[in-house]
Amino acid sequence: MKKISLGLLCELLQHALARMMDLNGVEPFINPVDRKEFPDYDKYVVHPMDLNLIKQNITKGLYGSTEAFLADVQWILHNSMSLNIGSGQVDVRFFGAHDRAWVPAKDCFLYSEKDPNNFRTKRQDLLDSIQEAEDHIRNISKKFGKFVHPPFKTQFEPSKLNEQIKLMVRKFNNRHINRQADPGNTVLSYKLSTPRPLIV
Ligand SMILES: *[C@@H]1O[C@H](CO)[C@@H](O)[C@H](O)[C@H]1NC(C)=O
Ligand SMILES: *[C@@H]1O[C@H](CO)[C@@H](O)[C@H](O)[C@H]1NC(C)=O
């Protein structure tokens, strides 16, 4: 890409932001989430972000690249998807069918060696999704080092996301979340009673 000055970049980002501010349904993302209304918010969201904060960052010239800008925008998306505020639900994506659903956090477990589901016969779609999960684990190992299976039925706790990822991937640190296009893509867990492993 052609290099442009910081001043011009800021101007372009202001335009991009103005268009985002104009979108339907943007209201909840303009200002910080009201902690009086959602007292548990900080328990689940490690990196709060809103459009006005991004605007201030642009004005201060904090974004030296479009990637830096996008990373903050991604946090808004991630925060809004990762928790259905107040209900203790997490937005999960499944291996295999690649659908997604709101699942109570208490039904999610870290990806142990033993499958917590108790099915007599293994269905093909389950076997396929387990295969895909294993591939994903191999990919994670290549990138971050050894993957350690956590103890059987370790409850997933959204407020301890970083610690729990580290339990499985020792070399993981927050910087990795920041740089990933899809920040939530790293935790592996099983959902009880659903014949598919899932990613949180
Ligand atoms: C934008 O500002 C917020 C709050 O000060 C900060 O957390 C975030 O890292 C800033 N973004 C950049 C790229 O500096
Ligand atoms: C693993 O990595 C390969 C190569 O980058 C990619 O094609 C594949 O989709 C990845 N598989 C999973 C399940 O993440």
Side-chain angles (χ1 to χ4, degrees), residues 30-82:
I30 294 181
N31 290 306
V33 166
D34 183 354
R35 304 302 201 274
K36 281 201 203 86
E37 209 176 330
F38 302 106
D40 282 344
Y41 191 73
D42 294 300
K43 229 165 89 185
Y44 295 105
V45 169
V46 291
H47 197 101
M49 187 54 60
D50 60 79
L51 293 172
N52 264 331
L53 200 55
I54 291 180
K55 190 176 182 162
Q56 288 165 28
N57 287 1
I58 296 176
T59 309
K60 289 185 206 154
L62 291 180
Y63 298 120
S65 65
T66 46
E67 285 78 14
F69 171 76
L70 279 176
D72 274 358
V73 174
Q74 286 282 352
W75 275 111
I76 298 182
L77 181 66
H78 176 64
N79 294 345
S80 70
M81 288 193 311
S82 59

Side-chain angles (χ1 to χ4, degrees), residues 132 135-136 139:
E132 196 184 334
D135 288 347
H136 185 57
N139 284 357

Side-chain angles (χ1 to χ4, degrees), residues 95 98 131-140 142 185:
F95 284 106
H98 294 277
Q131 183 59 52
E132 196 184 334
E134 300 293 335
D135 288 347
H136 185 57
I137 287 177
R138 236 189 326 273
N139 284 357
I140 289 175
K142 262 189 233 151
N185 214 357

Side-chain angles (χ1 to χ4, degrees), residues 113-180:
E113 207 143 20
K114 181 164 144 52
D115 183 349
N117 293 295
N118 214 347
F119 301 112
R120 287 242 187 84
T121 52
K122 295 275 185 202
R123 289 163 38 179
Q124 191 56 43
D125 62 347
L126 174 62
L127 294 175
D128 290 347
S129 50
I130 288 177
Q131 183 59 52
E132 196 184 334
E134 300 293 335
D135 288 347
H136 185 57
I137 287 177
R138 236 189 326 273
N139 284 357
I140 289 175
S141 304
K142 262 189 233 151
K143 201 163 158 192
F144 300 117
K146 195 169 152 52
F147 180 91
V148 181
H149 285 279
F152 187 55
K153 280 203 174 178
T154 306
Q155 185 95 52
F156 170 56
E157 293 183 49
S159 58
K160 294 189 183 148
L161 183 63
N162 286 335
E163 290 101 306
Q164 292 204 319
I165 294 177
K166 271 194 186 148
L167 197 66
M168 298 181 278
V169 187
R170 299 269 148 80
K171 295 218 181 95
F172 183 86
N173 74 41
N174 301 356
R175 281 182 301 120
H176 294 131
I177 295 191
N178 250 323
R179 271 199 253 114
Q180 268 178 332

